[in-house]
Amino acid sequence: MLPRTRRSFMKQGALALVAIGAVPGFVVRTARAQSRAARSKVLVVIFQRGAVDGLSMLVPHGDADYYGARGSIAIARPATGEGAIDLDGFFGLHPSLSALKPLWDERRLAAIHACGSPDATRSHFDAQDYMESGTPGVKSTEDGWLARGLAAMPGTAASPFRAVALGPALPRVLRGDAGAVAMTSLAEFDIRDAAAIAGGLDASRGFESLYEQGVRDLLYGTGRETFDAVKMLKAAAPQRLQPGNGAVYPRGRFGDSLRQIAQLIRADVGLEVAFADVGGWDTHAAQGNERGQLALRLKEFGDGLAALDRDLGERMRDVVVLTMSEFGRTVRENGNRGTDHGHGTAMFVIGGAAKGGTVHGRWPGLSRERLHEGRDLAVTTDFRSLFTEVTVRHLGMPAGPLFPGFKNAAYPGVIA
Amino acid sequence: MQWRAALVAGLVVLAGLSGSPAGGPLRAAGAASRLTLPPSPLSEDERVLHALNRLGFGSRPSDLARVKAMGLAAYLDGQLHPDPKPDPALADALAAYSVLDATTAQLVRDYPQPSAEMRQRLASGDMTRRELREALPPGRRPAVITAQMQAAAVTRAVLSDRQLEERLAAFWFNHFNVFSQKGAVRWMVPAYEREAIRPHVLGNFRDLLLATARHPAMLFYLDNWMSTRADRVRPPGLISPAPALPRLAGRAMGLNENYARELMELHTLGVDGGYTQQDVTEVARCFTGWTIDRPRAGGGYVFRPRAHDDGIKRVLGHEISAGAGERDGERVIDILVRHPSTARFISTKLARHFVQDDPPRALVERMAATFRTTDGDLRAVMTTLIISPEFWSREAYRAKIKTPFDVVVSAVRALDGRLIVSPGRGAIPAGGGLELAREVGRLGQPLYEAQPPTGYPDRAESWVNTGALLGRMNFALALAYNRFRGAPVPLDALLGPVDRGEPGEVLDRLLTAVLHGAATPQTRAVLAAQLESPEITRTTADDRVTRDTDAAKLAALVLGSPEFQRR
């Protein structure tokens, strides 16, 4: 009696375990929530740390000033065959992002250009901080905007895997009261099998008993959650799920992160928000054009996102992927065949809920008088508008706590 | 004008030196007044352990008896007035970390950044990774500097007898945080900690603040080095002859408010300390021209009059008259140090670190009063804290959750671990210090790598989450089973004559050595129940049943217990 789908197995399997009273609370709650309600919505956030060159990633080949400003790093016009992949006669994808073109054609890939922060800082660390705290210009904010949104979501069955960041530390955006988990790998989210250390000892039970004491405080509470999470993960065993539909992830940390996010989604552990980051975008020298340094990074980026989409298949109806980067890069090529820190950049929204096949936002143009401080792509869409629309309309988060003090919440229209 | 500025600068340097001689603050001969400690509901053992855990990085097995023998007040007095003579054992353990004593210029020379040309050739495929390794072996990369600093920080915390000084060094570095991965900061961190932080941790707050304000690491990290009067245009080739920055030539420059804002928000007044955006702009104007001489070549602080805004400014109600040049910034520092918000903000942060996440207000007010009446004497402020009833209260006892740095260091100390330094490859120091420092990083607190100017948080919520707790338990297992080859823990020596065939006795000895009676009855019961498990005691094959307790597993459970996560 092979279960028809992994999900129905999970539901039945978990409920069966509930019947014999051997399952932690979270599994019970999640299994019940799933048997009651439909599948939950998931947001996958990808942070391109280091400031991606939006003008090479999403090329405004129709802008009269693009080729004049960019010199050797320009991405050739689509007509040349090797150049940008035309999207709408004005914008084109970097040729390394060819894996994303089918998503555009199916109208499941939306893009927004000239997006960014109202704060003009060109410091990576300040700008990342602002994009994660959600309070541009204010550094004393302690929590992240996604954590605030999750904490304010009404009536959710709080799974320990509600918010997961792939990586060693919890990113700023998920710090706060969301109960978010950081993990480097699903396989290692466990008490390291002490058998590997010294002859057949299971320390896990010992630790678990220590934290099971009836003390109500942060430490004991978190300890109990930890073991609930470990057990839930063991029961769901998401790491055993092979990528679906023949999806092949690029090698490396980014591909690994996306593959594991897909596993968590497919195993129905109650994931609502997943986070992964990918670096290598700070191309001050030898940036390259259709080929080269940036092209290699974009290939990994596009192939990874396409693999995630393929792996999840029809489940992508409930999933939205949102990409972001702290700022863009200078319009002009610098003296080292690279680009320096700029302002506006491009971001992607992928999934069934995306209003795809469109480059959203208002294009400010690249002529000198239109540039921010005479050198950078201006910002015409505040990142807070984009993030608010995606989280409110897709996940149903309340807008209030996300971006304190932000009044201009007109949506750019990326969610259908 | 020129000679006057030079004279003033020289006098300031002299004043700074006289306040804090190299090697740590001296203790006036014969002035060793014993502290008078207040009555406390804690037992004598608890008080000693509280001091070791709170003012230091936890107790070694022999510490309790040693401190009791010398008397707690005498111990605390010694911690507040550390012996300025170097500690030879510690010096030996640190000898492998050559970056500690190196100047920034030496480090720039010895651990150069791969040149732009090299990186370009690598990216274009013109140069293979192997050729790069030959041209610039890993032992000569800038990453070595941070690795050595991290290893040295763990080594000092584990081994130093001046535990309070070490804890204060970590506290004040974190308060005046710089991020080692931001640009040229990586070469400046050793000098920053050595010159700007350590000499002042028990000295005067104004000296500490001024030392950080003038240090290239802070000037670079918070961008003040490129802040100029608003109408300045960078002349080609004048300011930055370094080839790394040719693109700055001819570009419009201007005011950068980054340092001015953090100086008030994070270093002195606190976010609600009563300053306005106008104050931020005015303070930024005062600090224009405080910059770095050749920032990419290891140069020091320099004042550049032509970048300075010499107009009248108004800061927090004080008028700063035109034409004072470099002294504008010093005036700002004086205004900030004497502002009542600063006394309160600094006292609150110290009390949060040493007493409770939400420290009692009365204690903060008394510390702030000491700060004001002594003009920021940090030893006096710490003394007020240490002799307060609040510090020795039941509420404060074991009330702080350990940070990852605390957990790793205190676990090694609790098991009396050693640190072995092996030669490693090139200038990369292998061994216990580095292994443990990497573990601190994996647990979420990579040292010298806190990106935001706030440094690492000092409240429980930031450190307790599911992934983090699992990490701590796994660390406990790895340490107890001697998986850190450079940090062996001698469990046999710790257990001494205890009969390994009596698991109950082994457990008692471990609980005493590591938790000193702080285990809850439930914890003791849970661990005792573990003793019944066949996994704890191995049974030999012959008829005679000999039991051999798995002390490593018990030790791991104790180190991973909720009690050990507190200090």
Side-chain angles (χ1 to χ4, degrees), chain A residues 69-85:
Chain A
R70 294 240 114 187
S72 76
I73 60 162
I75 309 301
R77 289 188 174 84
T80 60
E82 286 201 335
I85 304 165

Side-chain angles (χ1 to χ4, degrees), chain B residues 360-409:
Chain B
R361 185 182 288 192
L363 170 63
V364 170
E365 288 306 325
R366 290 204 305 285
M367 290 167 67
T370 303
F371 188 102
R372 285 192 301 270
T373 52
T374 62
D375 260 336
D377 180 338
L378 295 173
R379 194 196 323 265
V381 175
M382 281 307 294
T383 304
T384 300
L385 182 145
I386 288 173
I387 61 169
S388 75
E390 289 91 342
F391 180 77
W392 302 100
S393 70
R394 187 55 70 187
E395 291 71 39
Y397 187 63
R398 304 182 63 78
K400 288 289 290 184
I401 296 282
K402 290 176 182 175
T403 64
F405 186 44
D406 291 334
V407 167
V408 169
V409 172

